[in-house]
Amino acid sequence: MEADAYVRQRALPGFGAAGQEALSAASVAIVGVGGLGCPAALYLAAAGVGRLTLIDGDRVAVSNLHRQVLFGPSDVGEAKVSAAAARLSALAPGVEVTAVPARLGASSAREALAGHSLVLDCTDTWGSRLAVDDAAAGLGIPLVWGAVQGWFGQVTVFSGGRSVRDVFPEEPAPDFGVCDAGGVLGPLCGQVGAAMASQAVVLLTGAGPGLAGTLQVIDARDGEWRSLPVSGGVRA
């Protein structure tokens, strides 16, 4: 029997006990507990991140269940953050999970995200993305960003002055990234959410440079990830 849940993780080259201690000391905010936030939270809790803050103002709907893997039929109608927190606490009782039933906006994001080591933006509206991006940049917190629409997924890291606006200088069409506006592939959400969790672990442990400066885009129909450069400079 293995000594603990993290034996195989600590065995990774460049990870070790120091990497596990870094995760245990970290505080991660996950904004949006949907198709991306659910798998990302699941893997970060299992990895032993010390504190997870789940931020989402929505309730579980039947149409969420094919991709939002922390929820089941019995959770329909419940606040997403409450249902997710209960599931994660059962999976990883040593992880402190805080549920914040709110939708962040320009006036609330900075206060909600302050004090965290890292932010994951798993939201699906343009306004929320900009609010989270601006707050994280202003606080100097690295931001792991992901999006899924239809057959396509994207993931990157914004830090060192790069921002969402470097990828999207103008606001996309109103239905960009909104799952309710069209079809979305459940397993693709899992792929992108897991990629976001991987980036979070890499950044928190200092195991590698991560995706800062690179946008990874996947088309699930051919399974190919494509790398696109992201420019941007340090913001005042």
Side-chain angles (χ1 to χ4, degrees):
M1 182 175 178
E2 294 181 341
D4 60 53
Y6 311 120
V7 164
R8 301 291 294 276
Q9 189 164 270
R10 289 199 306 271
L12 286 167
F15 195 99
Q20 196 60 54
E21 290 170 4
L23 290 184
S24 179
S27 178
V28 176
I30 299 177
V31 188
V33 189
L36 301 181
C38 281
L42 188 65
Y43 277 109
L44 291 179
V49 170
R51 178 185 169 216
L52 292 175
T53 302
L54 309 179
I55 305 171
D56 196 311
D58 291 340
R59 294 182 177 274
V60 180
V62 172
S63 61
N64 299 151
L65 299 183
H66 85 289
R67 66 190 184 279
Q68 299 182 14
V69 294
L70 286 176
F71 310 130
S74 63
D75 298 312
V76 172
E78 296 295 318
K80 287 184 178 181
V81 290
S82 298
R87 196 67 50 85
L88 294 172
S89 295
L91 168 73
V95 176
E96 178 186 345
V97 183
T98 301
V100 180
R103 181 179 291 274
L104 297 189
S107 62
S108 59
R110 188 180 179 99
E111 181 179 356
L113 301 181
H116 291 89
S117 314
L118 189 70
V119 175
L120 272 66
D121 181 358
C122 303
T123 60
D124 62 4
T125 66
W126 182 247
S128 294
R129 286 172 173 151
L130 289 182
V132 172
D133 179 61
D134 288 342
L139 292 164
I141 303 173
L143 177 70
V144 180
W145 184 91
V148 168
Q149 185 178 30
W151 296 102
F152 297 94
Q154 305 171 65
V155 62
T156 189
V157 172
F158 293 119
S159 62
R162 296 182 180 90
S163 73
V164 170
R165 292 178 179 84
D166 293 319
V167 181
F168 304 105
E170 298 181 4
E171 182 174 350
D175 65 346
F176 174 81
V178 180
C179 294
D180 291 340
V184 60
L185 182 65
L188 178 60
C189 294
Q191 284 181 274
V192 175
M196 295 176 73
S198 292
Q199 287 300 299
V201 170
V202 166
L203 293 171
L204 291 170
T205 61
L211 280 176
T214 301
L215 176 70
Q216 289 282 93
V217 180
I218 184 173
D219 182 341
R221 293 169 296 183
D222 61 21
E224 183 178 353
W225 286 94
R226 298 168 177 86
S227 296
L228 304 174
V230 176
S231 61
V234 176
R235 286 184 279 180

